Amino acid sequence: MLIKIVDDDQVFAKKIERMVYDGFKDIFLDYSIDCITSRFEDRYFEKGDIFFLDIDLKEKNGIKIAEEIRENNSNAIIIFVSAMNDMIFDSLIVQPFYFIRKDNFDRDMKIACTLIQKYINKNHKIITFDLNGRKTSMQLSDIIYLESFLHEITIHAPFNDYKYSSTFNKMMSLINSTNIVRIHKSYAVNLFWVKEIYKEELLLRNGVALKIGKKYQQDVLASYKEYLLK
C-alpha cells in the first residue's frame, strides 16, 4: 500500500505523515509513505493507493492533480487536506474519499482514518488460504480473478498464481465478498480489477479478457453498477 502526501507546506506535510503513520499502523500489513512537497510533476502521481492532497498548491492546482491521478487509477483513495473550506463542493468533481479541513485537522483526520479502515475491511480484507499445507494470506484486492477446473481453483494475482483444491461454491463462501462476482461457470472476477464490461465479455486492468456466461450477464451488470455507486 503506497500512501502519498502532497503539500507544499513541509511542516504540515510532516504533521500529516505522523498522523497517517499512527492511524494506519493497525490497518495495513505493509505500507509506505511518500511526501511530495515540491516539483509536482505528473510522474509522481502515476503510482499510489491513497493520496492526501492539498488543493491550494503554489505550483499547481490540487484538483488538477487529482484529475491526473484519476486518469491513472480510478480506484485511488483521494483525500483533500485544505485550508480552503469553500472548495469542498468544487472538489466533488473528482469524487474524493474525504475532505479534511486544516483548521479542524485533528478531528477530521481521525474521522478519515476510521472511514478508511471500514473501507479497507470491506474492499481489501485479508483472505487466508491453506495452500499445500501452508497458510497463505493475501489482500482481497490482490485477487484479480478465480478460475475453476474440476476441483481445483486457480487464484490469479498480480505477481503469482495460486492453486487451491476446492469447489467454486466453497471458495466463494470462504472469500465472502460482494466484490468477487461469478461471471461464468469457470470464472469469478474481482470488480476492483474490471476495466471495461460488455454484455458477453469483460476486460480486466491487467489486459485479460473473460467471457461472461449467458445466465450470469444480467447479474454481472447489476453487480458492477452497484459496485461503482459504493
Side-chain angles (χ1 to χ4, degrees), residues 38-184:
S38 63
R39 299 179 62 191
F40 305 109
E41 300 171 18
D42 293 355
R43 62 191 176 91
Y44 291 131
F45 310 111
E46 291 176 357
K47 294 181 180 180
D49 301 293
I50 300 176
F51 292 83
F52 287 86
L53 178 60
D54 190 8
I55 291 179
D56 188 26
L57 299 167
K58 293 177 182 176
E59 299 177 24
K60 199 166 185 178
N61 182 279
I63 294 178
K64 292 294 183 183
I65 292 176
E67 290 175 348
E68 294 167 11
I69 293 169
R70 279 280 175 257
E71 289 179 5
N72 291 305
N73 182 3
S74 60
N75 292 305
I77 295 175
I78 297 174
I79 299 171
F80 285 116
V81 184
S82 180
M84 302 175 67
N85 298 346
D86 58 337
M87 294 297 292
I88 291 178
F89 293 107
D90 290 344
S91 72
L92 295 178
I93 192 171
V94 292
Q95 297 180 309
F97 185 84
Y98 200 65
F99 192 107
I100 295 175
R101 299 161 294 175
K102 285 190 174 181
D103 60 1
N104 202 29
F105 178 75
D106 290 349
R107 179 180 178 276
D108 285 358
M109 186 68 182
K110 288 178 181 177
I111 293 172
C113 287
T114 299
L115 292 174
I116 289 173
Q117 184 167 18
K118 290 180 179 178
Y119 176 84
I120 294 300
N121 289 341
K122 183 176 182 179
N123 298 283
H124 302 271
K125 69 179 183 179
I126 304 300
I127 308 296
T128 301
F129 304 98
D130 189 357
L131 297 176
N132 301 319
R134 185 174 66 182
K135 294 290 184 183
T136 301
S137 296
M138 64 184 347
Q139 288 189 347
L140 177 64
S141 59
D142 286 335
I143 298 175
I144 302 174
Y145 72 101
L146 306 173
E147 183 176 3
S148 173
F149 181 72
L150 298 178
H151 290 296
E152 185 174 76
I153 305 292
T154 300
I155 305 166
H156 295 276
F159 303 108
N160 289 294
D161 292 339
Y162 303 90
K163 304 289 186 180
Y164 184 71
S165 296
S166 174
T167 65
F168 226 142
N169 288 337
K170 287 182 180 178
M171 188 67 177
M172 295 293 283
S173 295
L174 174 63
I175 294 174
N176 188 28
S177 171
T178 56
N179 284 5
I180 306 294
V181 175
R182 191 86 174 260
I183 68 165
H184 188 276

Side-chain angles (χ1 to χ4, degrees), residues 5 7-19 35-37 102 105:
I5 298 168
D7 197 315
D8 51 15
D9 183 336
Q10 294 186 26
V11 174
F12 207 89
K14 285 296 181 183
K15 181 178 181 179
I16 298 172
E17 184 179 16
R18 287 192 299 271
M19 289 203 69
C35 285
I36 303 170
T37 57
K102 285 190 174 181
F105 178 75

